[in-house]
Amino acid sequence: MAHAVSHPTQEHHHEPTSFWSRYIFSQDHKVIAIQYMITALIVGFVGLFLSWLMRLQLGFPGEFNFINPNNYLQFMTQHGMIMIVYLLTAALLGGFGNYLIPLMIGARDMAFPFLNMLSYWTYLASVLLLLAAFFVPGGPTGAGWTLYPPQSVLPNASPGSEWGIRLMILSLAVFVAAGTMGGLNYVTTVLQMRTRGMTLMRMPLTVWGIFIASVLALFAFPALFVGGVMLLLDNLFGTSFFIPVVNLLGKQLGREGGNPILYQHLFWYFGHPEVYIVILPAMGVISDLLATHARKPIFGYKAMVISMAAIAAIGFVVWAHHMFVSGMNPYFGFWFAIATLIIAIPSAVKTYNWLLTLWKGNLHLNTPMLFAIGFISTFIIGGLTGLFLGNVIVDVPLHDTYFVTGHFHLVMGVSAIFGIFGGLYHWFPKAVGRMYSEALGKLHFWVTFVGSYLIFFPMLGEGFLGVPRRYFSFRGIESFPDIINDLNAFITVVALIVGAAQLIFVFNLVWSVFKGRKAEANPWRATTLEWQTPTTPPPHGNWGEQLPVVYRGAYDYSLPDAPQDYVPQTVPPSEKARVRV
Amino acid sequence: MQGILLAIVLVLLIVGAVALTLSGTLWLSPLASNWGMIDNMLVITLVVTGLAFVVLNLVLAYLVWRYRARDGQKATYFAEDHKLERNLILITALGIIVMLGPGLFVYSEYIHPPREAMTVEVLAQQWRWSFRYPGADGQLGRTDPKLFAQNAFGIDVTDPAAQDDVLVTGPLHLPLNKPVVIQLRSKDVLHSFYVPEFRAKMDAVPGMVTRLWFTPTKMGTFDLLCVELCGTAHFQMRSKVIVESPKDFERWLQQQPTVAQTIKR
């Protein structure tokens, strides 16, 4: 616990000896992190496979008879929910958060190790509930990942509107519990367990990103929980929180007084911060990758921290830009457009500072660095397209078209997953003690980076044409030129290739765990604490007898009068030269 | 090697993106309403963001090429420059004001229909559209969702204003060059009214009435699409809009039966 600082011995950290307590019901943050990451990646592959099924239908309509309008919507809904919540959120907070926070701030473990273990097993339960929906009568919900009522909960109003939606809400509620346990842990650990000398403004940006995202999660998830509970009641017990008087399929339902727009406010009060819960840790990760592999301090560290905090704070008052044409009070449009476009400023600051970090650097373009640079590029296009959708009147023609699909995939799908890939390659040597294959890593990057542009950039153009998203087929719509059929086939082919290329990534990591070259303790010659552990991978309790002491900021690369191009955080000011390798 | 390759790929991406945009193959469908201002805002936004896209990616490509690790290459310590940061923020803010300022003016117009506009009601349900015109008195009769059990529009047939209302299952006929307020209702779930050529868009929400307005400026037939996911046959929830001369429109409207003629009290 917090006494770890005052009791530098390992009295609280008896190393577990049995297989079960070491690898399965482990309370070691590093093991829990790997459990989180592997589970998230596996469920992510389910999400990827579902996107293939969607793309097969869109690219070659009618060729694959097992895909029908019903299960198309189910694939789509599950794909969205899996990728955003169960892959990205879980991998970035549960995976990187768990592994890196204690190591980067010089703690022996999380503040609450038992709660941490419970968080993972709760998350696993939520994943099982999610996947169970594929095996219940009616299948999983097909109401879109937003689960908008009335269609999501009224009988037969959408696919999976009985058992599917119930399992979905239950799974989300369990996930919220897991996320809350994790979030409390990350926030407490960062605030309480930093080692001597590790001031807040000396923390690596990865820790800042995860810390701020955890605070966001603690404030945002309850809105999802509340919305979910009422949704479930509307479904199970015929209540009317979100259901007004309706006549469904020729039958008057006897509901009264609910308002579907109320749900949308609750959902997006969670849903928009959720975007930042995903992207802020990724921003932190790639900041560290850029500085390390460019051999330069991050440009404008303070501005980077302030802009992350600003994005998080303003991020709580922009949610209704998802609802510009929902029928809410039209005057809301003014405020939510202004607030949304203001967020562009801190986001732009981050982009400029990444570019300025590269300027006059010495760029080692290995796999993690390639993904970090790829992140900058996809974040630029993804962020800029957000300016269309945030500016209320420009949103009107583009709303619910493929422009939106292209935008959010680039900014929070591709960019966030690039943060994950970059981070995984970067910290793999520390976590496993072996190097991955650079050649395979680069191949993985090139196919994924170029492929992502080829998939999602044309979607922006389809959106300009007005092509609606969430359509099973576009047959019979005369407004659209024939080129969209060829384009959709093209996108599908690229998506199949990019999806298959992810097997290179899996093969690379699995193979390297067993056969990779032995890694040095600090192969990237990095400054931050996680590279200064006594062994690689770090031991239980992380630091051996003595906790590290921090004397400097996280980015002392290429100091003018230092003999080496990096000075670890543990080196006292007078001893720039003496570097532990 | 990776540096040069990455720089080339980034430049190719820029060239491809600009070429695809300028080629016009994936451009807005020809405008058929008064909302040229929306198109102008789209173009302004495209120019500002397009400029940022090209410049930032070019800078990225240059940096990757110029500072890729080579023998003897050394990084220069450089961690802060407040003046540079401030100037970049000012440029960004300027770009945002250029887009947001006029955008909000156009939006203000978008949510304030002209007084002389005629009102047409659009009723959405899984998975079709139907339409109601106010008839000779220019007033739509009272409706209540509880009355859906009695007639398809939920009309209060005792309301005198409802008697001459005209009910149509489609297509939607509109007179050329006359502003029209589309009043949206839904019987069951969420739907959304969208004609790509008109640009305007609004959800239909059960239990309430929503509105949008536009002036059709081109004769012809257009696709009306539902763009809010509304269940299995969402993608087939379509109708047509026919824009015709006011004379033809009036003639057509006269031939349609009224509520008094079709619904028994």
Side-chain angles (χ1 to χ4, degrees), chain B residues 143-193:
Chain B
T143 58
D144 184 335
K146 286 185 178 165
L147 297 174
F148 281 127
Q150 288 168 26
N151 61 66
F153 267 78
I155 298 177
D156 178 0
V157 287
T158 61
D159 181 4
Q163 300 310 313
D164 62 348
D165 286 5
V166 172
L167 308 182
V168 183
T169 50
L172 169 66
H173 285 249
L174 292 176
L176 184 70
N177 290 332
K178 279 188 87 172
V180 54
V181 172
I182 301 286
Q183 169 179 318
L184 285 157
R185 286 194 300 139
S186 167
K187 232 171 157 169
D188 42 30
V189 300
L190 302 172
H191 301 277
S192 194
F193 178 100

Side-chain angles (χ1 to χ4, degrees), chain A residues 226-305:
Chain A
V226 169
V229 167
M230 294 186 196
L231 206 53
L232 192 62
L233 293 173
D234 277 0
N235 174 272
L236 277 178
F237 302 115
T239 52
S240 291
F241 294 102
F242 305 129
I243 315 291
V245 176
V246 291
N247 182 294
L248 185 69
L249 306 163
K251 252 179 63 191
Q252 206 74 11
L253 286 195
R255 313 273 187 117
E256 189 173 353
N259 185 341
I261 292 182
L262 172 61
Y263 172 84
Q264 298 182 22
H265 282 296
L266 285 170
F267 180 84
W268 288 114
Y269 186 88
F270 145 78
H272 197 77
E274 168 64 21
V275 175
Y276 300 123
I277 292 172
V278 165
I279 207 66
L280 287 173
M283 284 174 163
V285 165
I286 73 116
S287 300
D288 281 356
L289 267 49
L290 289 172
T292 306
H293 299 285
R295 317 307 298 158
K296 269 197 61 189
I298 198 83
F299 180 84
Y301 172 85
K302 216 166 151 189
M304 290 301 238
V305 174

Side-chain angles (χ1 to χ4, degrees), chain A residues 373-388:
Chain A
I373 290 170
F375 175 103
I376 300 179
S377 184
T378 54
F379 185 75
I380 288 170
I381 178 76
L384 289 171
T385 48
L387 292 167
F388 288 78

